[in-house]
Amino acid sequence: MSQTGTPTPILQVEDLAVAYGHIEAVKGISLSLNEGEITALVGANGAGKSTSLLAISGLVKAQRGRVLLDGRDLLPLSPHRIVESGVVQVAEGRATLTTLTVEENLTLGAYTRRDKAGVARDLDWVYSLFPVLKNRAAGLAGNLSGGEQQMLAIGRALMAKPRVLLLDEPSMGLAPLIIQEIFRIVQEINKTGMTVLLVEQNVRQALRIAQRGYVLETGKIVLADSGANLLGNPKVVEAYLGG
């Protein structure tokens, strides 16, 4: 927050474009994440949401554009350098290492860190957020339920000590009660001051917890407003909320 009380952008995406062959999946989008806020990027399946996150993370190459963290362009960096810079993604589909234990998965999240005492403190914090992971710490990640694996994926990302947490479809494939719990935990993480970019097909849930939202359609941002205003926007209601 600036001295004038206005939110301070921590991450700015400018004219980001991504193509797969001759198909432009993301068509020059621009968005801004304010420090300490949840920003939702919502839209239908195939709109380009996950591709946008992958480009921000450096996991797919952008055709053009900039991704500025505190004014520094991340796009020339390798993915692990982007993680070291403080931008960490939780992948769609969890991507837990099923033959390793829960605690080994979490510890791997801190692979770029050298502050052993800080890593230990953050492990305790993750276990406080997800008590079920503490109870299953010595068990194989592959034996966790889908919801527990999603918690593990989020916890592993938190172990990298991100400044900006990128969440790709965290509710996908989960039961309604587990979805409610995942969104509650995202809010708890955000209350610590962490900036979150949330990509979701579950438009209603995402906009309910987001301070700001962007609607992506066929690779273009078509609406941008506060989460509350987008929830009441007739176009959003008609297209995504069953209005």
Side-chain angles (χ1 to χ4, degrees), residues 125-158:
W125 175 52
V126 168
Y127 281 148
S128 73
L129 285 171
F130 305 107
V132 66
L133 298 184
K134 185 173 184 178
N135 295 336
R136 307 284 292 277
L140 293 180
N143 293 333
L144 299 178
S145 68
E148 290 165 348
Q149 288 199 29
Q150 184 63 68
M151 294 175 188
L152 178 57
I154 294 172
R156 184 178 58 192
L158 294 176

Side-chain angles (χ1 to χ4, degrees), residues 163-180:
R163 296 182 62 209
V164 179
L165 183 65
L166 310 178
L167 294 173
D168 193 359
E169 304 283 6
S171 73
M172 181 177 287
L174 302 181
L177 284 177
I178 302 300
I179 291 172
Q180 294 286 345

